[in-house]
Amino acid sequence: MTTSQAGRDLDTSRPHSARMYDYYLGGKDHFEVDEKAALAVADAYPGIFVCARENRAFMHRATRVLAQEYGIRQWLDIGTGIPTEPNLHQVAQSVVPEARVVYADNDPLVLKYAERLMRSTPQGRTTYIEADVNDAASLLTAVEASEVLEFDRPIALSLNALMHFVTDAQDPYGIVGRLLDALPAGSALALSHCTPDFDPATWDKVTAIYTSAGTPVQFRAHDDVARFFDGLDLVEPGVCVGHRWRPAATGSEGAQPTDAQVSLWTGVGIKR
């Protein structure tokens, strides 16, 4: 079954990674086919729900740190996915009401929910553009055409749980490099990336599930994720497991997830 959205077909006959992620987060914007695939992942890797929550929590913390400690006032969030509140612009504008955010995704599914992404504070601005990270030049042209971000001022490039959907054959490091080259000094990269480092056999199963659903993935080891930050000044504590990056106080050490449950490398770097 397909439904039309903005002149494009929205395929609901096969699992969709964004809708599966919505299921992991406890959302309602998914279908039975997505739930079935998500449960297959959860059967192989029960930590997937923790991983998804910790990915969102990292995005929130990284956004606040960049706003509060590094003076960032502009964000380019690529691979936005289905909006889950609080969205990045809500976090940023809670710290700096004048924050500007451009969301980018190439999926018609996201366009369906894009109105949620454009509810800005009066002082700030937000917008959504349809663009593909695999075509960095066209994406950047669309961002400039939106006239929301000013490219002579620092911009935070947010790539959360995106680059493991870009295989080596698609030149992931070249893509990130081209995006960063367009940004001025003082800009930032905030990135999270699933990893097989703590349980390779389990992640082989997860890879097979996504691949069979028509979504190629490449989960990477620590050093391969750290390579995305080459040439940048890493913000402490560097590239680490998601829940260990600037953790918020929980009041209970026993409540902390394990590294294997999270299985997510995260980091923030500043462009010189």
Side-chain angles (χ1 to χ4, degrees):
M1 180 176 73
T2 59
T3 57
S4 179
Q5 180 64 42
R8 295 177 60 185
D9 285 336
L10 187 62
D11 189 354
T12 58
S13 66
R14 305 184 69 179
H16 188 288
S17 59
R19 298 193 305 250
M20 290 169 66
Y21 185 62
D22 176 75
Y23 180 84
Y24 302 146
L25 290 172
K28 299 179 180 178
D29 296 315
H30 54 266
F31 299 96
E32 183 177 354
V33 66
D34 309 302
E35 180 176 349
K36 183 177 180 180
L39 288 173
V41 171
D43 185 58
Y45 166 45
I48 187 62
F49 302 103
V50 175
C51 176
R53 290 195 301 269
E54 291 298 334
N55 180 64
R56 293 290 299 179
F58 163 74
M59 182 273 284
H60 294 167
R61 296 195 303 275
T63 299
R64 290 190 184 98
V65 166
L66 287 171
Q68 292 171 339
E69 300 181 22
Y70 291 88
I72 297 291
R73 299 293 182 265
Q74 304 186 108
W75 279 261
L76 171 56
D77 181 75
I78 305 176
T80 300
I82 297 172
T84 303
E85 294 190 350
N87 295 302
L88 188 151
H89 74 278
Q90 293 169 313
V91 176
Q93 291 177 347
S94 72
V95 180
V96 281
E98 69 273 23
R100 297 182 170 208
V101 179
V102 171
Y103 293 103
D105 206 301
N106 71 328
D107 198 311
L109 177 69
V110 182
L111 181 61
K112 178 180 178 182
Y113 302 100
E115 182 183 353
R116 297 186 201 170
L117 300 172
M118 294 185 279
R119 298 172 184 169
S120 175
T121 59
Q123 304 96 315
R125 291 186 65 187
T126 69
T127 194
Y128 169 78
I129 62 169
E130 195 169 359
D132 190 342
V133 71
N134 291 292
D135 186 351
S138 295
L139 187 152
L140 289 166
T141 296
V143 174
E144 291 191 46
S146 74
E147 298 184 339
V148 171
L149 304 185
E150 299 174 359
F151 278 75
D152 58 349
R153 298 170 54 219
I155 296 170
L157 174 62
S158 180
L159 303 176
N160 288 301
L162 171 66
M163 297 311 293
H164 48 241
F165 293 111
V166 181
T167 66
D168 282 350
Q170 296 168 287
D171 189 23
Y173 302 106
I175 288 169
V176 174
R178 286 188 285 277
L179 292 169
L180 287 170
D181 284 347
L183 308 183
S187 292
L189 169 66
L191 180 144
S192 62
H193 196 299
C194 288
T195 181
D197 282 356
F198 304 103
D199 191 349
T202 289
W203 282 87
D204 282 345
K205 297 175 184 176
V206 175
T207 299
I209 293 168
Y210 274 94
T211 301
S212 66
T215 303
V217 289
Q218 186 164 350
F219 303 116
R220 296 181 172 89
H222 176 276
D223 289 353
D224 294 322
V225 175
R227 185 179 163 193
F228 286 110
F229 296 93
D230 283 356
L232 304 179
D233 293 328
L234 277 170
V235 172
E236 290 293 332
V239 177
C240 61
V241 186
H243 65 302
R244 301 186 186 280
W245 197 94
R246 301 285 187 98
T250 62
S252 173
E253 285 298 319
Q256 290 295 310
T258 66
D259 290 354
Q261 283 178 308
V262 178
S263 289
L264 187 77
W265 292 122
T266 61
V268 175
I270 305 298
K271 182 177 179 179
R272 303 185 188 98

